[in-house]
Amino acid sequence: MAQLELVVNKQTNEFRADLLNNSKFSADAFNYEDASFFIIMNGVNLSFKSANKNNNIKFVINSYQKHGDKFFSEFRGSFSGILYDKKEKKWIIFTNHTGDQKLFYIETENSLFVYSDLYKLKDQLKDNNISYSLNVTAAYYLITYGYMTDDSTIIKGVKRLTAGRYLILKENTLENNRYFTLHNTPNHKLTTNEAIEQIDELFHKAIQLEYDKDIQYNYKHIAAMSGGLDCRMTNWVANKSGYRDCTNYTYSQAGYLDMIIAKQMSTYLGNEWIFRDLGKGDFLEDIDELTRISNACFRSTVRTSITKTLDFSQYGLIHSGQLGDAILSTHCPETGYNPASKIKATSHTLLKKVKLDYTQWENEEIANIEVRGFNGMLSGNFTYQPFTEVSSPFADPDFINFVLTIPLSMRGYHSIYKKWILMKYPDAAKFKWENINAKINEKTINIRNKIIPLKQLPKFIFSACLYNFGIDISQGKKLQNTNPFDYWYKTNPGLKNYLDTYFDKNIILITEPELKSDVSMLYAKGAMTDKLQALTLLAAIKGLEL
């Protein structure tokens, strides 16, 4: 898709900017200049109702003149952009509410560099003889959480413009401001029926915005499908809203429950279904490309594999179910609205080396949504953006704002989520939920934040007892997970040899002794996820010449 580039002289406001535009949504991504403004829009803007670029340019200018510096807060979708007001000599640089439209920037004494690609920004620093180095703190973020927990990047001094934020550059001063803030103050007057009705109405509106964008450009619809609830509801509500020409795609191990359920539901809805078998995990050998296309983010690894086999030319947006669990349910059903205490990491081996300032968030839920949700989960969109754009109705800011007012007691353990499905879309409940290998209307019990169907309780207790004695019966089983990394590493000698050789060859790139020792230990003793995070770090250091 389009690549955004901007270099501004802070003293003179002279600038060099470009949008290398090969976007499928050519009227949504554009650059424009007249006597009053210079404008770049990137990504996809669901608020644009025209496939005519000139109409959308007028829309941006009118929005700015009406709403001022935060004019883009009224926009919806996966967008980013730049507006230079020539009369005011003011630059406004912005990204969308959830931050999945990436922008990286660095401020030097004389200039501001803004790029949508971290590697191209590195090249610009190199060409301008600006020194750069590895951000060791960010390296530890990468090998623990698998993504950045703040606006850091793997390059020291380079920052990412995160969710709901914008920059203003005026009179040689750069400000980083927030325009979208999450709050989860509960509305205890809200009844279950009122909550469900509002959920359904806002979800329908978000679906309509997404799918109408495909129609606007005469594209077919394509949507992820899995055995979970999130993709299921994106597809179900779209289908019930009359959007029929849809293709579903699924990636997992062949024969895994995720594949079986996804195929059943796609067939039921009358959608074409494309399946990508992850096989023996050989795609992980493309570690350099995977890291490059994801802008050095581990969580994007598996999603990258699907882009090699799908022809996106006939399709519009990828419709996903991202953030469904995090928003409509919650990652912390038992913790209430207490101050933040933890954000789930991918690897805990070196977590003690990472110190987060939890006082910056209102509570644990807000921390998890902003960090794990926006920074982590949505970073998977980076891998699709060279081909198309991604949208999820669960990530719609109006939907988020309302749902977070529903008390945790109603949202916890998917309670309101399941009631919404059963009340409004009972057919969707006919199929198993992969997470529990049972239908959502079966009786369950919650044990340590895990939902267990009552009929599976004896097996769960037996497995837990064995685990307490050091026996994990899930280890080495192929179909225990959509992405069985450990299984691949143990059963695919070619993959194991390639990854081990890559590590041995590139570990010398780390010059900081403590980090080098920690990464070596992580790779030698860690599970496959630990190893992949270590490899992602090495690939980033190699590709970015750090």
Side-chain angles (χ1 to χ4, degrees), residues 118-177:
L118 186 61
Y119 286 69
K120 289 187 179 296
L121 176 52
K122 179 270 299 183
D123 291 340
Q124 191 62 218
L125 297 178
K126 190 174 181 179
D127 291 345
N128 284 271
N129 296 314
I130 299 171
S131 62
Y132 60 93
S133 61
L134 174 68
N135 183 342
V136 175
T137 300
Y140 278 102
Y141 289 154
L142 188 54
I143 58 178
T144 51
Y145 291 93
Y147 53 86
M148 300 298 114
T149 63
D150 54 20
D151 62 356
S152 303
T153 72
I154 204 71
I155 303 177
K156 190 174 183 179
V158 175
K159 296 181 178 181
R160 175 182 161 197
L161 191 59
T162 52
R165 303 198 73 94
Y166 66 104
L167 304 175
I168 289 187
L169 176 63
K170 186 175 181 180
E171 296 178 351
N172 199 22
T173 299
L174 182 68
E175 295 180 359
N176 185 316
N177 302 301

Short mmCIF file of all heavy atoms in Angstrom, two decimals, residues 118-177:
data_model
loop_
_atom_site.label_atom_id
_atom_site.label_comp_id
_atom_site.label_asym_id
_atom_site.label_seq_id
_atom_site.Cartn_x
_atom_site.Cartn_y
_atom_site.Cartn_z
N LEU A 118 9.66 1.87 9.20
CA LEU A 118 10.81 2.04 10.09
C LEU A 118 12.13 1.86 9.35
O LEU A 118 13.11 2.56 9.63
CB LEU A 118 10.71 1.04 11.25
CG LEU A 118 11.74 1.17 12.37
CD1 LEU A 118 11.64 2.52 13.04
CD2 LEU A 118 11.55 0.04 13.39
N TYR A 119 12.16 0.94 8.41
CA TYR A 119 13.39 0.66 7.68
C TYR A 119 13.74 1.81 6.74
O TYR A 119 14.91 2.14 6.57
CB TYR A 119 13.25 -0.66 6.91
CG TYR A 119 13.32 -1.87 7.80
CD1 TYR A 119 12.30 -2.17 8.70
CD2 TYR A 119 14.41 -2.73 7.76
CE1 TYR A 119 12.36 -3.28 9.53
CE2 TYR A 119 14.48 -3.86 8.58
CZ TYR A 119 13.45 -4.11 9.46
OH TYR A 119 13.52 -5.22 10.28
N LYS A 120 12.73 2.43 6.14
CA LYS A 120 13.00 3.59 5.28
C LYS A 120 13.45 4.79 6.10
O LYS A 120 14.27 5.60 5.66
CB LYS A 120 11.75 3.92 4.45
CG LYS A 120 11.46 2.90 3.36
CD LYS A 120 10.33 3.37 2.46
CE LYS A 120 10.05 2.37 1.35
NZ LYS A 120 11.19 2.21 0.43
N LEU A 121 12.92 4.91 7.30
CA LEU A 121 13.38 5.98 8.18
C LEU A 121 14.84 5.77 8.56
O LEU A 121 15.64 6.72 8.58
CB LEU A 121 12.51 6.04 9.44
CG LEU A 121 12.91 7.06 10.51
CD1 LEU A 121 13.07 8.45 9.94
CD2 LEU A 121 11.87 7.08 11.63
N LYS A 122 15.20 4.53 8.82
CA LYS A 122 16.61 4.22 9.11
C LYS A 122 17.50 4.62 7.94
O LYS A 122 18.58 5.22 8.13
CB LYS A 122 16.75 2.72 9.41
CG LYS A 122 18.18 2.27 9.70
CD LYS A 122 18.97 1.83 8.46
CE LYS A 122 18.31 0.65 7.76
NZ LYS A 122 19.14 0.18 6.60
N ASP A 123 17.06 4.32 6.72
CA ASP A 123 17.85 4.69 5.53
C ASP A 123 18.02 6.19 5.44
O ASP A 123 19.09 6.69 5.06
CB ASP A 123 17.16 4.17 4.26
CG ASP A 123 17.20 2.66 4.14
OD1 ASP A 123 18.05 2.03 4.79
OD2 ASP A 123 16.35 2.11 3.40
N GLN A 124 16.98 6.94 5.81
CA GLN A 124 17.06 8.39 5.76
C GLN A 124 18.06 8.92 6.78
O GLN A 124 18.82 9.85 6.50
CB GLN A 124 15.67 8.98 6.02
CG GLN A 124 15.55 10.45 5.74
CD GLN A 124 15.82 10.81 4.29
OE1 GLN A 124 16.43 11.83 4.01
NE2 GLN A 124 15.39 9.96 3.36
N LEU A 125 18.06 8.33 7.97
CA LEU A 125 19.04 8.73 8.98
C LEU A 125 20.46 8.46 8.48
O LEU A 125 21.36 9.30 8.64
CB LEU A 125 18.78 7.97 10.29
CG LEU A 125 17.45 8.23 10.98
CD1 LEU A 125 17.33 7.37 12.23
CD2 LEU A 125 17.29 9.71 11.33
N LYS A 126 20.63 7.33 7.88
CA LYS A 126 21.95 6.95 7.36
C LYS A 126 22.40 7.90 6.25
O LYS A 126 23.56 8.34 6.23
CB LYS A 126 21.88 5.52 6.84
CG LYS A 126 23.22 4.90 6.49
CD LYS A 126 23.03 3.43 6.12
CE LYS A 126 24.37 2.77 5.79
NZ LYS A 126 24.18 1.34 5.44
N ASP A 127 21.48 8.22 5.35
CA ASP A 127 21.82 9.12 4.23
C ASP A 127 22.17 10.52 4.71
O ASP A 127 22.91 11.25 4.04
CB ASP A 127 20.65 9.19 3.24
CG ASP A 127 20.45 7.88 2.48
OD1 ASP A 127 21.35 7.03 2.52
OD2 ASP A 127 19.36 7.70 1.89
N ASN A 128 21.61 10.92 5.86
CA ASN A 128 21.86 12.26 6.40
C ASN A 128 22.95 12.27 7.48
O ASN A 128 23.09 13.25 8.19
CB ASN A 128 20.57 12.84 6.97
CG ASN A 128 19.61 13.32 5.89
OD1 ASN A 128 19.65 14.47 5.45
ND2 ASN A 128 18.73 12.43 5.44
N ASN A 129 23.68 11.15 7.56
CA ASN A 129 24.79 11.02 8.52
C ASN A 129 24.35 11.30 9.96
O ASN A 129 25.06 11.91 10.75
CB ASN A 129 25.93 11.98 8.14
CG ASN A 129 26.55 11.63 6.80
OD1 ASN A 129 26.83 10.45 6.53
ND2 ASN A 129 26.74 12.63 5.96
N ILE A 130 23.13 10.85 10.28
CA ILE A 130 22.61 10.97 11.64
C ILE A 130 22.84 9.63 12.34
O ILE A 130 22.37 8.59 11.87
CB ILE A 130 21.11 11.32 11.64
CG1 ILE A 130 20.89 12.68 10.96
CG2 ILE A 130 20.56 11.34 13.06
CD1 ILE A 130 19.43 13.01 10.72
N SER A 131 23.57 9.65 13.42
CA SER A 131 23.90 8.41 14.10
C SER A 131 22.67 7.79 14.75
O SER A 131 21.76 8.50 15.20
CB SER A 131 24.98 8.65 15.16
OG SER A 131 24.52 9.54 16.15
N TYR A 132 22.63 6.48 14.78
CA TYR A 132 21.52 5.76 15.41
C TYR A 132 22.06 4.46 15.99
O TYR A 132 23.12 3.97 15.58
CB TYR A 132 20.39 5.49 14.41
CG TYR A 132 20.80 4.66 13.21
CD1 TYR A 132 20.66 3.28 13.21
CD2 TYR A 132 21.32 5.27 12.07
CE1 TYR A 132 21.04 2.53 12.12
CE2 TYR A 132 21.70 4.53 10.98
CZ TYR A 132 21.55 3.15 11.00
OH TYR A 132 21.94 2.40 9.93
N SER A 133 21.34 3.91 16.96
CA SER A 133 21.83 2.71 17.64
C SER A 133 20.66 1.91 18.19
O SER A 133 19.50 2.34 18.15
CB SER A 133 22.79 3.10 18.77
OG SER A 133 22.12 3.91 19.73
N LEU A 134 20.98 0.75 18.73
CA LEU A 134 19.97 -0.14 19.29
C LEU A 134 19.39 0.43 20.58
O LEU A 134 20.13 0.89 21.45
CB LEU A 134 20.58 -1.51 19.57
CG LEU A 134 19.71 -2.53 20.30
CD1 LEU A 134 18.55 -2.97 19.40
CD2 LEU A 134 20.53 -3.75 20.73
N ASN A 135 18.09 0.40 20.68
CA ASN A 135 17.40 0.76 21.91
C ASN A 135 17.31 -0.50 22.77
O ASN A 135 16.49 -1.39 22.53
CB ASN A 135 16.00 1.29 21.60
CG ASN A 135 15.24 1.76 22.83
OD1 ASN A 135 15.58 1.40 23.95
ND2 ASN A 135 14.21 2.55 22.62
N VAL A 136 18.17 -0.61 23.78
CA VAL A 136 18.26 -1.82 24.58
C VAL A 136 16.97 -2.07 25.36
O VAL A 136 16.52 -3.22 25.49
CB VAL A 136 19.48 -1.75 25.53
CG1 VAL A 136 19.50 -2.96 26.47
CG2 VAL A 136 20.77 -1.68 24.73
N THR A 137 16.36 -1.01 25.87
CA THR A 137 15.09 -1.16 26.58
C THR A 137 14.04 -1.75 25.66
O THR A 137 13.29 -2.67 26.04
CB THR A 137 14.60 0.19 27.13
OG1 THR A 137 15.58 0.71 28.03
CG2 THR A 137 13.28 0.04 27.85
N ALA A 138 13.96 -1.25 24.44
CA ALA A 138 13.00 -1.76 23.47
C ALA A 138 13.31 -3.21 23.11
O ALA A 138 12.40 -4.01 22.84
CB ALA A 138 13.00 -0.89 22.21
N ALA A 139 14.59 -3.57 23.09
CA ALA A 139 14.97 -4.95 22.81
C ALA A 139 14.38 -5.89 23.85
O ALA A 139 13.89 -6.99 23.53
CB ALA A 139 16.49 -5.08 22.78
N TYR A 140 14.39 -5.46 25.12
CA TYR A 140 13.80 -6.28 26.18
C TYR A 140 12.27 -6.33 26.05
O TYR A 140 11.65 -7.35 26.36
CB TYR A 140 14.20 -5.77 27.56
CG TYR A 140 15.57 -6.27 27.97
CD1 TYR A 140 16.70 -5.46 27.90
CD2 TYR A 140 15.74 -7.58 28.43
CE1 TYR A 140 17.95 -5.92 28.27
CE2 TYR A 140 16.99 -8.06 28.80
CZ TYR A 140 18.09 -7.23 28.73
OH TYR A 140 19.33 -7.71 29.09
N TYR A 141 11.65 -5.24 25.58
CA TYR A 141 10.22 -5.29 25.30
C TYR A 141 9.92 -6.39 24.28
O TYR A 141 8.98 -7.16 24.42
CB TYR A 141 9.72 -3.96 24.74
CG TYR A 141 9.68 -2.80 25.69
CD1 TYR A 141 9.77 -1.49 25.23
CD2 TYR A 141 9.53 -3.00 27.07
CE1 TYR A 141 9.72 -0.41 26.10
CE2 TYR A 141 9.49 -1.92 27.94
CZ TYR A 141 9.58 -0.63 27.45
OH TYR A 141 9.53 0.43 28.32
N LEU A 142 10.75 -6.43 23.25
CA LEU A 142 10.52 -7.37 22.14
C LEU A 142 10.67 -8.82 22.58
O LEU A 142 9.93 -9.69 22.11
CB LEU A 142 11.49 -7.05 21.00
CG LEU A 142 11.29 -7.81 19.68
CD1 LEU A 142 9.87 -7.64 19.16
CD2 LEU A 142 12.29 -7.34 18.64
N ILE A 143 11.61 -9.10 23.48
CA ILE A 143 11.83 -10.51 23.89
C ILE A 143 11.02 -10.89 25.13
O ILE A 143 11.20 -11.99 25.66
CB ILE A 143 13.33 -10.79 24.11
CG1 ILE A 143 13.93 -9.87 25.17
CG2 ILE A 143 14.08 -10.69 22.78
CD1 ILE A 143 15.41 -10.14 25.47
N THR A 144 10.15 -9.99 25.57
CA THR A 144 9.24 -10.35 26.66
C THR A 144 7.79 -10.24 26.18
O THR A 144 7.09 -11.24 26.07
CB THR A 144 9.46 -9.44 27.89
OG1 THR A 144 9.44 -8.06 27.49
CG2 THR A 144 10.79 -9.75 28.55
N TYR A 145 7.37 -9.04 25.85
CA TYR A 145 5.99 -8.84 25.40
C TYR A 145 5.80 -9.22 23.93
O TYR A 145 4.70 -9.58 23.52
CB TYR A 145 5.58 -7.39 25.62
CG TYR A 145 5.43 -7.06 27.09
CD1 TYR A 145 6.49 -6.51 27.81
CD2 TYR A 145 4.25 -7.33 27.77
CE1 TYR A 145 6.38 -6.24 29.17
CE2 TYR A 145 4.12 -7.06 29.12
CZ TYR A 145 5.20 -6.51 29.82
OH TYR A 145 5.08 -6.26 31.16
N GLY A 146 6.84 -9.11 23.13
CA GLY A 146 6.72 -9.40 21.70
C GLY A 146 6.38 -8.18 20.88
O GLY A 146 6.22 -8.26 19.67
N TYR A 147 6.27 -7.03 21.55
CA TYR A 147 5.94 -5.76 20.90
C TYR A 147 6.37 -4.64 21.84
O TYR A 147 6.80 -4.90 22.98
CB TYR A 147 4.44 -5.66 20.60
CG TYR A 147 3.58 -5.92 21.82
CD1 TYR A 147 3.26 -4.90 22.71
CD2 TYR A 147 3.09 -7.19 22.10
CE1 TYR A 147 2.49 -5.13 23.85
CE2 TYR A 147 2.32 -7.44 23.23
CZ TYR A 147 2.03 -6.41 24.10
OH TYR A 147 1.27 -6.65 25.21
N MET A 148 6.26 -3.40 21.40
CA MET A 148 6.63 -2.27 22.24
C MET A 148 5.48 -1.93 23.18
O MET A 148 4.33 -1.86 22.76
CB MET A 148 6.98 -1.05 21.40
CG MET A 148 8.15 -1.25 20.44
SD MET A 148 9.71 -1.63 21.25
CE MET A 148 10.00 -3.31 20.67
N THR A 149 5.79 -1.71 24.44
CA THR A 149 4.74 -1.38 25.41
C THR A 149 4.45 0.11 25.48
O THR A 149 3.53 0.54 26.18
CB THR A 149 5.14 -1.86 26.82
OG1 THR A 149 6.31 -1.17 27.23
CG2 THR A 149 5.40 -3.36 26.81
N ASP A 150 5.22 0.90 24.77
CA ASP A 150 5.01 2.35 24.73
C ASP A 150 5.31 2.84 23.33
O ASP A 150 5.17 2.09 22.36
CB ASP A 150 5.86 3.06 25.80
CG ASP A 150 7.35 2.72 25.69
OD1 ASP A 150 7.79 2.26 24.61
OD2 ASP A 150 8.08 2.91 26.68
N ASP A 151 5.75 4.09 23.19
CA ASP A 151 6.01 4.63 21.85
C ASP A 151 7.44 4.38 21.39
O ASP A 151 7.89 4.97 20.40
CB ASP A 151 5.68 6.12 21.79
CG ASP A 151 6.53 6.97 22.73
OD1 ASP A 151 7.35 6.39 23.49
OD2 ASP A 151 6.39 8.21 22.72
N SER A 152 8.15 3.50 22.08
CA SER A 152 9.52 3.17 21.68
C SER A 152 9.54 2.40 20.36
O SER A 152 8.55 1.81 19.94
CB SER A 152 10.20 2.31 22.75
OG SER A 152 10.21 2.93 24.00
N THR A 153 10.72 2.40 19.74
CA THR A 153 11.01 1.47 18.66
C THR A 153 12.36 0.85 18.96
O THR A 153 13.05 1.23 19.90
CB THR A 153 11.07 2.16 17.28
OG1 THR A 153 12.27 2.97 17.20
CG2 THR A 153 9.84 3.03 17.03
N ILE A 154 12.75 -0.08 18.14
CA ILE A 154 14.02 -0.77 18.34
C ILE A 154 15.21 0.14 18.04
O ILE A 154 16.35 -0.17 18.39
CB ILE A 154 14.06 -2.06 17.47
CG1 ILE A 154 15.03 -3.08 18.06
CG2 ILE A 154 14.35 -1.74 16.04
CD1 ILE A 154 14.54 -3.72 19.33
N ILE A 155 14.94 1.30 17.40
CA ILE A 155 16.00 2.28 17.14
C ILE A 155 15.93 3.37 18.21
O ILE A 155 14.89 4.01 18.39
CB ILE A 155 15.83 2.93 15.75
CG1 ILE A 155 15.81 1.86 14.65
CG2 ILE A 155 16.97 3.92 15.49
CD1 ILE A 155 15.56 2.42 13.26
N LYS A 156 17.00 3.57 18.90
CA LYS A 156 17.05 4.56 19.98
C LYS A 156 16.76 5.95 19.42
O LYS A 156 17.35 6.39 18.45
CB LYS A 156 18.43 4.54 20.65
CG LYS A 156 18.52 5.35 21.92
CD LYS A 156 19.87 5.14 22.59
CE LYS A 156 19.95 5.90 23.91
NZ LYS A 156 21.26 5.68 24.59
N GLY A 157 15.81 6.64 20.06
CA GLY A 157 15.46 7.99 19.63
C GLY A 157 14.32 8.07 18.65
O GLY A 157 13.69 9.11 18.49
N VAL A 158 14.03 6.96 17.96
CA VAL A 158 12.90 6.92 17.02
C VAL A 158 11.67 6.46 17.78
O VAL A 158 11.70 5.46 18.50
CB VAL A 158 13.19 5.97 15.84
CG1 VAL A 158 11.95 5.84 14.95
CG2 VAL A 158 14.37 6.47 15.03
N LYS A 159 10.58 7.19 17.61
CA LYS A 159 9.34 6.86 18.31
C LYS A 159 8.25 6.50 17.31
O LYS A 159 8.32 6.84 16.13
CB LYS A 159 8.89 8.04 19.17
CG LYS A 159 9.86 8.38 20.29
CD LYS A 159 9.34 9.54 21.12
CE LYS A 159 10.29 9.86 22.27
NZ LYS A 159 9.77 10.98 23.11
N ARG A 160 7.26 5.81 17.82
CA ARG A 160 6.07 5.52 17.03
C ARG A 160 4.92 6.37 17.56
O ARG A 160 4.75 6.51 18.77
CB ARG A 160 5.70 4.04 17.14
CG ARG A 160 4.40 3.68 16.42
CD ARG A 160 4.07 2.21 16.62
NE ARG A 160 2.66 1.94 16.35
CZ ARG A 160 2.03 0.84 16.74
NH1 ARG A 160 2.67 -0.08 17.42
NH2 ARG A 160 0.75 0.68 16.46
N LEU A 161 4.15 6.96 16.65
CA LEU A 161 2.97 7.71 17.05
C LEU A 161 1.88 6.70 17.39
O LEU A 161 1.38 6.00 16.53
CB LEU A 161 2.52 8.63 15.92
CG LEU A 161 1.46 9.69 16.27
CD1 LEU A 161 1.95 10.61 17.38
CD2 LEU A 161 1.08 10.49 15.03
N THR A 162 1.55 6.61 18.67
CA THR A 162 0.67 5.55 19.13
C THR A 162 -0.80 5.95 19.07
O THR A 162 -1.15 7.08 18.71
CB THR A 162 1.05 5.14 20.56
OG1 THR A 162 1.10 6.30 21.40
CG2 THR A 162 2.41 4.45 20.58
N ALA A 163 -1.65 5.02 19.48
CA ALA A 163 -3.10 5.14 19.33
C ALA A 163 -3.66 6.45 19.87
O ALA A 163 -3.34 6.87 20.99
CB ALA A 163 -3.77 3.97 20.04
N GLY A 164 -4.49 7.10 19.06
CA GLY A 164 -5.21 8.28 19.50
C GLY A 164 -4.34 9.49 19.79
O GLY A 164 -4.73 10.36 20.58
N ARG A 165 -3.20 9.59 19.14
CA ARG A 165 -2.28 10.71 19.40
C ARG A 165 -1.96 11.46 18.11
O ARG A 165 -2.09 10.92 17.00
CB ARG A 165 -1.00 10.21 20.06
CG ARG A 165 -1.23 9.45 21.35
CD ARG A 165 0.02 9.35 22.18
NE ARG A 165 0.35 10.62 22.81
CZ ARG A 165 -0.03 10.97 24.05
NH1 ARG A 165 -0.75 10.14 24.78
NH2 ARG A 165 0.31 12.14 24.55
N TYR A 166 -1.50 12.70 18.27
CA TYR A 166 -1.10 13.50 17.12
C TYR A 166 0.03 14.44 17.52
O TYR A 166 0.19 14.79 18.68
CB TYR A 166 -2.29 14.29 16.56
CG TYR A 166 -2.85 15.36 17.47
CD1 TYR A 166 -2.59 16.70 17.24
CD2 TYR A 166 -3.66 15.04 18.56
CE1 TYR A 166 -3.12 17.70 18.06
CE2 TYR A 166 -4.20 16.01 19.38
CZ TYR A 166 -3.92 17.35 19.13
OH TYR A 166 -4.43 18.33 19.95
N LEU A 167 0.81 14.84 16.51
CA LEU A 167 1.91 15.78 16.71
C LEU A 167 1.53 17.13 16.13
O LEU A 167 0.85 17.20 15.10
CB LEU A 167 3.17 15.29 16.00
CG LEU A 167 3.72 13.91 16.36
CD1 LEU A 167 4.90 13.57 15.46
CD2 LEU A 167 4.12 13.83 17.82
N ILE A 168 1.99 18.19 16.80
CA ILE A 168 1.90 19.53 16.23
C ILE A 168 3.30 20.13 16.24
O ILE A 168 3.96 20.17 17.29
CB ILE A 168 0.93 20.43 17.02
CG1 ILE A 168 -0.51 19.99 16.78
CG2 ILE A 168 1.09 21.89 16.61
CD1 ILE A 168 -1.55 20.89 17.39
N LEU A 169 3.74 20.55 15.08
CA LEU A 169 5.02 21.24 14.95
C LEU A 169 4.74 22.68 14.54
O LEU A 169 4.19 22.94 13.47
CB LEU A 169 5.90 20.56 13.91
CG LEU A 169 7.23 21.24 13.60
CD1 LEU A 169 8.14 21.27 14.83
CD2 LEU A 169 7.95 20.55 12.43
N LYS A 170 5.11 23.62 15.42
CA LYS A 170 4.90 25.03 15.14
C LYS A 170 5.97 25.83 15.88
O LYS A 170 6.26 25.56 17.04
CB LYS A 170 3.51 25.48 15.59
CG LYS A 170 3.16 26.91 15.19
CD LYS A 170 1.72 27.25 15.57
CE LYS A 170 1.38 28.69 15.13
NZ LYS A 170 -0.01 29.06 15.47
N GLU A 171 6.54 26.80 15.17
CA GLU A 171 7.57 27.67 15.74
C GLU A 171 8.68 26.85 16.40
O GLU A 171 9.11 27.09 17.53
CB GLU A 171 6.95 28.63 16.75
CG GLU A 171 5.96 29.60 16.12
CD GLU A 171 5.30 30.52 17.14
OE1 GLU A 171 5.50 30.30 18.35
OE2 GLU A 171 4.59 31.45 16.71
N ASN A 172 9.12 25.84 15.66
CA ASN A 172 10.27 25.02 16.06
C ASN A 172 10.00 24.19 17.32
O ASN A 172 10.92 23.68 17.96
CB ASN A 172 11.51 25.90 16.28
CG ASN A 172 12.80 25.10 16.26
OD1 ASN A 172 12.85 23.99 15.70
ND2 ASN A 172 13.83 25.63 16.89
N THR A 173 8.73 24.06 17.71
CA THR A 173 8.37 23.28 18.90
C THR A 173 7.46 22.12 18.49
O THR A 173 6.46 22.31 17.80
CB THR A 173 7.65 24.15 19.93
OG1 THR A 173 8.51 25.21 20.33
CG2 THR A 173 7.26 23.33 21.15
N LEU A 174 7.84 20.92 18.94
CA LEU A 174 7.06 19.72 18.63
C LEU A 174 6.29 19.28 19.87
O LEU A 174 6.86 19.08 20.94
CB LEU A 174 7.98 18.59 18.16
CG LEU A 174 7.27 17.29 17.75
CD1 LEU A 174 6.46 17.50 16.47
CD2 LEU A 174 8.30 16.16 17.55
N GLU A 175 4.98 19.12 19.73
CA GLU A 175 4.13 18.65 20.82
C GLU A 175 3.50 17.32 20.43
O GLU A 175 3.08 17.12 19.30
CB GLU A 175 3.01 19.65 21.12
CG GLU A 175 3.48 20.99 21.64
CD GLU A 175 2.30 21.93 21.91
OE1 GLU A 175 1.14 21.52 21.65
OE2 GLU A 175 2.54 23.05 22.37
N ASN A 176 3.42 16.42 21.41
CA ASN A 176 2.74 15.15 21.23
C ASN A 176 1.49 15.18 22.10
O ASN A 176 1.57 15.26 23.32
CB ASN A 176 3.66 13.98 21.65
CG ASN A 176 3.03 12.62 21.35
OD1 ASN A 176 1.87 12.40 21.60
ND2 ASN A 176 3.84 11.72 20.83
N ASN A 177 0.32 15.14 21.46
CA ASN A 177 -0.95 15.30 22.17
C ASN A 177 -1.85 14.09 21.98
O ASN A 177 -1.72 13.34 21.02
CB ASN A 177 -1.69 16.55 21.67
CG ASN A 177 -0.86 17.81 21.83
OD1 ASN A 177 -0.46 18.16 22.93
ND2 ASN A 177 -0.59 18.50 20.71
#
